[in-house]
Coordinates of all heavy atoms in Angstrom, one line a residue:
A210 N 4.1 -20.1 -4.7 CA 4.9 -19.7 -3.6 C 5.6 -20.8 -2.9 O 6.8 -20.7 -2.5 CB 3.9 -19.0 -2.6
S211 N 5.0 -22.0 -2.8 CA 5.6 -23.1 -2.1 C 6.8 -23.6 -2.8 O 7.6 -24.4 -2.3 CB 4.6 -24.3 -1.9 OG 4.2 -24.8 -3.1
D212 N 7.0 -23.2 -4.1 CA 8.2 -23.7 -4.8 C 9.5 -23.1 -4.3 O 10.6 -23.6 -4.6 CB 8.1 -23.3 -6.3 CG 7.1 -24.3 -7.0 OD1 6.5 -25.1 -6.3 OD2 6.8 -24.1 -8.2
V213 N 9.4 -22.0 -3.5 CA 10.7 -21.5 -2.9 C 10.9 -21.9 -1.5 O 11.8 -21.5 -0.8 CB 10.7 -19.9 -3.0 CG1 10.8 -19.4 -4.4 CG2 9.5 -19.3 -2.3
S214 N 10.0 -22.8 -1.1 CA 10.2 -23.4 0.3 C 11.5 -24.2 0.4 O 11.8 -24.9 -0.6 CB 9.0 -24.2 0.6 OG 9.4 -25.4 1.4
P215 N 12.2 -24.2 1.5 CA 13.4 -25.0 1.6 C 13.2 -26.5 1.5 O 14.1 -27.2 1.3 CB 13.9 -24.6 3.0 CG 13.1 -23.5 3.5 CD 11.9 -23.3 2.7
M216 N 11.9 -26.8 1.7 CA 11.6 -28.2 1.7 C 11.2 -28.7 0.3 O 10.9 -29.9 0.1 CB 10.4 -28.6 2.6 CG 10.7 -28.1 4.1 SD 12.4 -28.5 4.6 CE 12.1 -30.1 5.3
H217 N 11.2 -27.9 -0.7 CA 10.9 -28.3 -2.1 C 12.0 -29.3 -2.5 O 13.1 -29.1 -2.2 CB 10.9 -27.0 -3.0 CG 10.5 -27.3 -4.4 ND1 11.3 -27.7 -5.3 CD2 9.3 -27.2 -5.0 CE1 10.7 -27.9 -6.5 NE2 9.4 -27.6 -6.3
P218 N 11.5 -30.3 -3.2 CA 12.5 -31.4 -3.6 C 13.8 -30.8 -4.3 O 14.9 -31.3 -4.1 CB 11.7 -32.3 -4.6 CG 10.3 -32.1 -4.2 CD 10.2 -30.7 -3.6
A219 N 13.6 -29.8 -5.2 CA 14.8 -29.3 -5.9 C 15.7 -28.6 -4.9 O 16.9 -28.7 -5.0 CB 14.3 -28.3 -7.0
R220 N 15.1 -27.8 -4.0 CA 16.0 -27.2 -3.0 C 16.7 -28.2 -2.1 O 17.8 -28.0 -1.7 CB 15.1 -26.3 -2.1 CG 14.5 -25.1 -2.8 CD 15.2 -23.8 -2.3 NE 14.7 -22.7 -3.0 CZ 14.9 -21.5 -2.7 NH1 15.7 -21.2 -1.7 NH2 14.4 -20.5 -3.5
M221 N 15.9 -29.2 -1.7 CA 16.5 -30.2 -0.9 C 17.7 -30.9 -1.6 O 18.7 -31.2 -1.0 CB 15.4 -31.3 -0.5 CG 14.3 -30.8 0.3 SD 14.7 -30.9 2.1 CE 14.3 -32.6 2.4
R222 N 17.5 -31.2 -2.8 CA 18.5 -31.8 -3.6 C 19.8 -30.9 -3.6 O 20.9 -31.4 -3.4 CB 18.0 -32.0 -5.0 CG 19.1 -32.0 -6.1 CD 19.6 -33.3 -6.4 NE 21.0 -33.2 -6.9 CZ 21.6 -34.1 -7.7 NH1 20.8 -35.1 -8.2 NH2 22.8 -34.0 -8.0
L223 N 19.6 -29.7 -3.9 CA 20.8 -28.8 -3.9 C 21.4 -28.6 -2.6 O 22.6 -28.6 -2.5 CB 20.3 -27.4 -4.5 CG 19.9 -27.4 -6.0 CD1 19.4 -26.1 -6.4 CD2 21.1 -27.9 -6.9
A224 N 20.6 -28.5 -1.6 CA 21.1 -28.4 -0.2 C 21.9 -29.7 0.1 O 23.0 -29.6 0.7 CB 20.0 -28.2 0.8
Y225 N 21.4 -30.8 -0.3 CA 22.1 -32.0 0.0 C 23.4 -32.1 -0.8 O 24.5 -32.6 -0.3 CB 21.3 -33.3 -0.3 CG 21.9 -34.5 0.2 CD1 22.0 -34.8 1.6 CD2 22.5 -35.4 -0.6 CE1 22.6 -35.9 2.1 CE2 23.2 -36.6 -0.1 CZ 23.2 -36.8 1.2 OH 23.8 -37.9 1.7
D226 N 23.4 -31.6 -2.0 CA 24.6 -31.6 -2.8 C 25.7 -30.8 -2.1 O 26.8 -31.2 -1.9 CB 24.4 -30.9 -4.2 CG 23.7 -31.8 -5.2 OD1 23.8 -33.0 -5.0 OD2 23.2 -31.3 -6.2
E227 N 25.3 -29.6 -1.6 CA 26.2 -28.8 -0.9 C 26.8 -29.4 0.4 O 28.0 -29.4 0.7 CB 25.6 -27.4 -0.5 CG 26.6 -26.4 0.1 CD 26.1 -25.0 0.2 OE1 24.9 -24.8 0.4 OE2 26.9 -24.1 0.0
L228 N 25.9 -30.0 1.2 CA 26.3 -30.7 2.4 C 27.2 -31.9 2.1 O 28.1 -32.1 2.9 CB 25.0 -31.1 3.2 CG 24.2 -29.9 3.7 CD1 22.9 -30.4 4.4 CD2 25.0 -29.0 4.6
L229 N 26.8 -32.6 1.1 CA 27.7 -33.8 0.8 C 29.1 -33.3 0.3 O 30.1 -33.9 0.7 CB 27.0 -34.6 -0.3 CG 27.8 -35.9 -0.7 CD1 27.9 -36.8 0.5 CD2 27.2 -36.6 -1.8
A230 N 29.1 -32.2 -0.5 CA 30.4 -31.7 -0.9 C 31.2 -31.3 0.4 O 32.4 -31.6 0.5 CB 30.2 -30.5 -1.8
N231 N 30.6 -30.7 1.3 CA 31.2 -30.2 2.6 C 31.7 -31.4 3.3 O 32.9 -31.5 3.8 CB 30.2 -29.4 3.4 CG 30.6 -29.2 4.8 OD1 30.3 -30.0 5.7 ND2 31.3 -28.1 5.1
Q232 N 30.9 -32.4 3.5 CA 31.3 -33.6 4.3 C 32.3 -34.5 3.6 O 33.2 -35.0 4.3 CB 30.0 -34.4 4.7 CG 29.1 -33.7 5.7 CD 29.8 -33.4 7.0 OE1 30.4 -34.3 7.7 NE2 29.9 -32.2 7.4
L233 N 32.2 -34.6 2.3 CA 33.1 -35.4 1.6 C 34.5 -34.7 1.6 O 35.5 -35.4 1.8 CB 32.6 -35.5 0.1 CG 33.3 -36.6 -0.7 CD1 33.3 -37.9 -0.1 CD2 32.7 -36.6 -2.1
A234 N 34.5 -33.4 1.5 CA 35.8 -32.7 1.6 C 36.4 -32.9 2.9 O 37.6 -33.1 3.0 CB 35.5 -31.2 1.3
L235 N 35.7 -32.8 4.0 CA 36.2 -33.0 5.3 C 36.7 -34.4 5.5 O 37.8 -34.7 6.1 CB 35.2 -32.6 6.4 CG 34.8 -31.2 6.6 CD1 33.6 -31.0 7.5 CD2 36.0 -30.4 7.2
A236 N 35.9 -35.3 4.9 CA 36.3 -36.7 5.1 C 37.6 -37.0 4.3 O 38.5 -37.8 4.7 CB 35.2 -37.6 4.5
L237 N 37.8 -36.3 3.2 CA 39.1 -36.5 2.4 C 40.3 -36.0 3.2 O 41.3 -36.6 3.3 CB 39.0 -35.7 1.1 CG 38.2 -36.4 0.0 CD1 38.0 -35.4 -1.2 CD2 38.9 -37.6 -0.5
V238 N 40.1 -34.8 3.9 CA 41.1 -34.3 4.7 C 41.5 -35.3 5.8 O 42.6 -35.6 6.1 CB 40.7 -32.9 5.3 CG1 41.8 -32.4 6.2 CG2 40.6 -31.9 4.2
R239 N 40.4 -35.8 6.4 CA 40.5 -36.7 7.5 C 41.3 -38.0 7.0 O 42.2 -38.5 7.7 CB 39.1 -37.1 8.0 CG 39.0 -37.8 9.3 CD 37.6 -38.2 9.4 NE 37.4 -39.0 10.6 CZ 37.1 -38.6 11.8 NH1 36.9 -37.3 12.0 NH2 37.0 -39.4 12.8
Q240 N 40.9 -38.4 5.9 CA 41.5 -39.7 5.3 C 43.0 -39.4 5.1 O 43.8 -40.3 5.4 CB 40.8 -40.0 4.0 CG 41.5 -41.0 3.1 CD 40.7 -41.3 1.9 OE1 39.7 -42.0 1.9 NE2 41.1 -40.8 0.7
K241 N 43.3 -38.2 4.6 CA 44.7 -37.9 4.3 C 45.5 -37.9 5.6 O 46.6 -38.4 5.6 CB 44.7 -36.5 3.6 CG 46.0 -35.8 3.8 CD 46.7 -35.7 2.5 CE 48.0 -35.0 2.7 NZ 48.9 -35.1 1.6
M242 N 44.9 -37.4 6.6 CA 45.6 -37.3 7.9 C 45.8 -38.7 8.5 O 46.8 -39.0 9.1 CB 44.9 -36.5 8.9 CG 44.9 -35.0 8.4 SD 44.3 -34.0 9.6 CE 44.0 -32.5 8.7
R243 N 44.8 -39.5 8.3 CA 44.9 -40.9 8.8 C 46.0 -41.7 8.1 O 46.6 -42.6 8.6 CB 43.6 -41.6 8.7 CG 42.5 -41.2 9.6 CD 42.8 -41.5 11.0 NE 41.8 -40.9 11.9 CZ 41.9 -39.7 12.3 NH1 42.8 -38.8 11.8 NH2 40.9 -39.2 13.0
K244 N 46.2 -41.3 6.9 CA 47.3 -42.0 6.1 C 48.7 -41.5 6.5 O 49.6 -42.2 6.3 CB 47.1 -41.7 4.6 CG 46.2 -42.8 4.0 CD 46.3 -42.8 2.4 CE 45.5 -41.7 1.9 NZ 45.4 -41.6 0.4
L245 N 48.7 -40.3 7.0 CA 50.0 -39.8 7.4 C 50.5 -40.6 8.6 O 49.8 -40.7 9.6 CB 49.9 -38.3 7.8 CG 49.6 -37.4 6.7 CD1 49.3 -36.0 7.3 CD2 50.7 -37.3 5.7
K246 N 51.7 -41.1 8.5 CA 52.1 -41.8 9.7 C 52.5 -40.8 10.8 O 52.9 -39.7 10.5 CB 53.4 -42.6 9.3 CG 52.9 -44.0 9.0 CD 54.0 -45.1 8.7 CE 55.1 -45.1 9.7 NZ 56.3 -45.9 9.1
G247 N 52.2 -41.1 12.0 CA 52.5 -40.2 13.1 C 53.5 -40.8 14.0 O 54.2 -41.8 13.7
I248 N 53.7 -40.1 15.1 CA 54.7 -40.6 16.1 C 53.9 -41.1 17.3 O 52.8 -40.5 17.6 CB 55.5 -39.4 16.6 CG1 55.7 -38.3 15.5 CG2 56.8 -39.9 17.1 CD1 56.1 -37.0 16.1
A249 N 54.3 -42.2 17.9 CA 53.7 -42.6 19.1 C 54.3 -41.9 20.3 O 55.5 -41.8 20.4 CB 53.9 -44.1 19.2
L250 N 53.5 -41.3 21.1 CA 54.0 -40.6 22.3 C 53.4 -41.3 23.5 O 52.5 -40.7 24.1 CB 53.6 -39.1 22.2 CG 54.1 -38.3 21.0 CD1 53.4 -37.0 20.9 CD2 55.6 -38.1 21.1
P251 N 53.9 -42.4 23.9 CA 53.3 -43.2 24.9 C 53.5 -42.6 26.3 O 52.7 -42.7 27.2 CB 53.9 -44.6 24.8 CG 55.2 -44.4 24.2 CD 55.1 -43.1 23.3
G252 N 54.7 -42.0 26.5 CA 55.0 -41.4 27.9 C 55.0 -42.5 28.9 O 54.7 -43.6 28.7
N253 N 55.4 -42.1 30.1 CA 55.3 -43.0 31.2 C 54.4 -42.5 32.3 O 54.3 -43.1 33.4 CB 56.7 -43.4 31.8 CG 57.4 -42.1 32.2 OD1 56.8 -41.0 32.3 ND2 58.7 -42.2 32.4
G254 N 53.8 -41.4 32.1 CA 52.9 -40.8 33.1 C 53.5 -40.1 34.3 O 52.7 -39.5 35.1
Q255 N 54.8 -40.1 34.4 CA 55.4 -39.6 35.6 C 55.2 -38.1 35.7 O 54.9 -37.6 36.8 CB 56.9 -39.9 35.6 CG 57.1 -41.4 36.2 CD 58.6 -41.7 36.3 OE1 59.4 -40.9 36.1 NE2 58.8 -43.0 36.6
L256 N 55.5 -37.4 34.7 CA 55.4 -35.9 34.7 C 53.9 -35.5 35.0 O 53.6 -34.6 35.8 CB 55.9 -35.2 33.5 CG 57.4 -35.2 33.3 CD1 57.7 -34.7 31.9 CD2 58.0 -34.3 34.3
V257 N 53.0 -36.2 34.3 CA 51.6 -35.8 34.4 C 51.2 -36.1 35.9 O 50.5 -35.3 36.5 CB 50.7 -36.7 33.4 CG1 49.3 -36.4 33.7 CG2 51.1 -36.3 32.0
Q258 N 51.6 -37.2 36.4 CA 51.3 -37.5 37.8 C 51.8 -36.5 38.8 O 51.1 -36.0 39.7 CB 51.9 -38.9 38.2 CG 51.1 -40.1 37.7 CD 49.6 -40.0 37.9 OE1 49.2 -39.6 39.0 NE2 48.8 -40.3 36.9
K259 N 53.0 -36.1 38.5 CA 53.6 -35.0 39.4 C 52.8 -33.7 39.3 O 52.6 -33.1 40.3 CB 55.1 -34.8 39.0 CG 56.1 -35.6 39.8 CD 57.5 -35.0 39.6 CE 58.5 -36.1 39.5 NZ 59.7 -35.6 38.8
L260 N 52.5 -33.4 38.1 CA 51.7 -32.1 37.9 C 50.4 -32.2 38.7 O 50.0 -31.3 39.5 CB 51.4 -31.9 36.5 CG 50.4 -30.8 36.2 CD1 51.0 -29.4 36.3 CD2 49.7 -30.9 34.8
L261 N 49.7 -33.4 38.6 CA 48.4 -33.5 39.2 C 48.6 -33.4 40.8 O 47.7 -32.9 41.4 CB 47.8 -34.8 38.8 CG 47.3 -34.9 37.4 CD1 46.7 -36.3 37.1 CD2 46.3 -33.8 37.1
K262 N 49.7 -33.9 41.3 CA 49.9 -33.9 42.7 C 50.1 -32.4 43.2 O 49.6 -32.1 44.2 CB 51.2 -34.7 43.1 CG 50.8 -36.0 43.7 CD 51.8 -36.6 44.7 CE 53.2 -36.5 44.4 NZ 53.8 -37.7 43.9
N263 N 50.7 -31.6 42.3 CA 50.9 -30.2 42.7 C 49.7 -29.3 42.5 O 49.7 -28.2 43.0 CB 52.1 -29.6 41.8 CG 53.4 -30.3 42.1 OD1 53.5 -30.9 43.2 ND2 54.4 -30.1 41.3
L264 N 48.7 -29.7 41.7 CA 47.6 -28.9 41.5 C 46.8 -28.7 42.8 O 46.6 -29.7 43.5 CB 46.6 -29.5 40.4 CG 47.1 -29.5 39.0 CD1 46.0 -30.1 38.1 CD2 47.4 -28.1 38.5
P265 N 46.3 -27.5 43.0 CA 45.5 -27.3 44.3 C 44.1 -27.7 44.1 O 43.3 -27.4 45.0 CB 45.6 -25.8 44.5 CG 45.8 -25.2 43.1 CD 46.5 -26.2 42.3
F266 N 43.8 -28.3 43.0 CA 42.4 -28.7 42.8 C 42.3 -30.1 42.1 O 43.3 -30.6 41.6 CB 41.6 -27.7 41.9 CG 42.3 -27.3 40.7 CD1 42.4 -28.2 39.6 CD2 43.0 -26.1 40.6 CE1 43.1 -27.8 38.4 CE2 43.6 -25.7 39.4 CZ 43.7 -26.5 38.3
E267 N 41.2 -30.7 42.1 CA 40.9 -32.0 41.4 C 40.5 -31.7 40.0 O 39.8 -30.7 39.8 CB 39.7 -32.7 42.1 CG 40.1 -33.6 43.2 CD 40.5 -35.0 42.7 OE1 39.8 -35.5 41.8 OE2 41.5 -35.5 43.3
L268 N 40.9 -32.5 39.1 CA 40.3 -32.3 37.7 C 38.8 -32.6 37.7 O 38.4 -33.5 38.5 CB 41.0 -33.3 36.7 CG 42.5 -33.0 36.4 CD1 43.0 -34.0 35.4 CD2 42.8 -31.6 36.0
T269 N 38.1 -32.0 36.9 CA 36.7 -32.3 36.8 C 36.6 -33.6 35.9 O 37.6 -34.0 35.3 CB 35.9 -31.2 36.0 OG1 36.5 -31.1 34.7 CG2 36.0 -29.9 36.7
A270 N 35.5 -34.3 36.0 CA 35.3 -35.5 35.3 C 35.5 -35.3 33.8 O 36.1 -36.1 33.1 CB 33.9 -36.1 35.6
A271 N 35.0 -34.1 33.3 CA 35.1 -33.8 31.9 C 36.6 -33.7 31.5 O 37.0 -34.1 30.4 CB 34.3 -32.6 31.5
Q272 N 37.3 -33.0 32.4 CA 38.8 -32.9 32.1 C 39.5 -34.2 32.0 O 40.3 -34.5 31.1 CB 39.4 -32.0 33.1 CG 39.1 -30.5 33.0 CD 39.7 -29.7 34.2 OE1 39.5 -30.1 35.3 NE2 40.3 -28.5 33.9
K273 N 39.1 -35.1 33.0 CA 39.8 -36.4 33.0 C 39.4 -37.2 31.7 O 40.3 -37.8 31.1 CB 39.3 -37.2 34.2 CG 39.9 -36.8 35.5 CD 39.4 -37.7 36.6 CE 39.8 -37.0 38.0 NZ 38.9 -37.4 39.1
R274 N 38.1 -37.1 31.3 CA 37.7 -37.9 30.2 C 38.4 -37.4 28.9 O 38.9 -38.1 28.1 CB 36.1 -37.8 30.0 CG 35.5 -38.7 29.0 CD 34.1 -38.3 28.7 NE 33.9 -36.9 28.3 CZ 33.1 -36.1 28.9 NH1 32.3 -36.4 29.9 NH2 33.0 -34.8 28.5
S275 N 38.4 -36.0 28.8 CA 39.1 -35.5 27.6 C 40.6 -35.9 27.5 O 41.1 -36.2 26.5 CB 39.0 -33.9 27.6 OG 37.6 -33.6 27.6
F276 N 41.2 -35.8 28.7 CA 42.6 -36.2 28.7 C 42.8 -37.6 28.3 O 43.7 -38.0 27.5 CB 43.4 -35.9 30.0 CG 44.8 -36.2 29.9 CD1 45.7 -35.5 29.1 CD2 45.3 -37.2 30.7 CE1 47.0 -35.9 29.0 CE2 46.7 -37.6 30.6 CZ 47.5 -36.9 29.8
G277 N 41.9 -38.5 28.8 CA 41.9 -39.9 28.4 C 41.9 -40.1 26.9 O 42.6 -40.9 26.3
E278 N 41.0 -39.3 26.3 CA 40.9 -39.4 24.8 C 42.2 -39.0 24.1 O 42.6 -39.6 23.1 CB 39.7 -38.6 24.3 CG 38.3 -39.2 24.8 CD 37.2 -38.3 24.7 OE1 37.4 -37.1 24.4 OE2 36.0 -38.7 25.1
I279 N 42.7 -37.9 24.6 CA 43.9 -37.4 24.0 C 45.1 -38.3 24.2 O 45.9 -38.6 23.3 CB 44.3 -36.0 24.7 CG1 43.2 -35.0 24.3 CG2 45.7 -35.5 24.3 CD1 43.2 -33.7 25.2
E280 N 45.2 -38.9 25.4 CA 46.2 -39.9 25.7 C 46.2 -41.1 24.8 O 47.3 -41.5 24.3 CB 46.0 -40.4 27.1 CG 47.2 -40.4 28.0 CD 46.9 -40.9 29.4 OE1 45.7 -41.2 29.7 OE2 47.8 -41.0 30.2
T281 N 45.0 -41.6 24.5 CA 44.9 -42.7 23.6 C 45.4 -42.4 22.2 O 46.2 -43.1 21.6 CB 43.4 -43.2 23.5 OG1 42.9 -43.3 24.8 CG2 43.3 -44.5 22.7
D282 N 45.0 -41.2 21.7 CA 45.5 -40.7 20.4 C 47.0 -40.6 20.4 O 47.6 -41.0 19.4 CB 44.9 -39.4 20.1 CG 43.5 -39.5 19.5 OD1 43.0 -40.6 19.4 OD2 43.0 -38.4 19.0

Side-chain angles (χ1 to χ4, degrees):
S211 65
D212 286 358
V213 292
S214 142
M216 304 318 269
H217 186 274
R220 290 251 179 172
M221 294 273 278
R222 147 94 211 208
L223 293 174
Y225 190 72
D226 280 345
E227 184 168 37
L228 295 175
L229 182 62
N231 166 273
Q232 290 300 305
L233 193 56
L235 288 170
L237 281 169
V238 174
R239 192 186 175 93
Q240 165 178 285
K241 157 107 184 170
M242 292 190 194
R243 289 292 174 279
K244 269 196 285 185
L245 294 171
K246 268 185 44 194
I248 329 159
L250 301 168
N253 55 16
Q255 279 183 6
L256 285 173
V257 174
Q258 282 314 316
K259 267 196 217 157
L260 171 77
L261 290 178
K262 256 212 313 261
N263 292 346
L264 286 183
F266 49 75
E267 270 278 316
L268 292 184
T269 61
Q272 283 172 316
K273 285 183 192 156
R274 189 187 59 231
S275 297
F276 182 63
E278 290 160 0
I279 293 165
E280 225 178 2
T281 310
D282 275 8

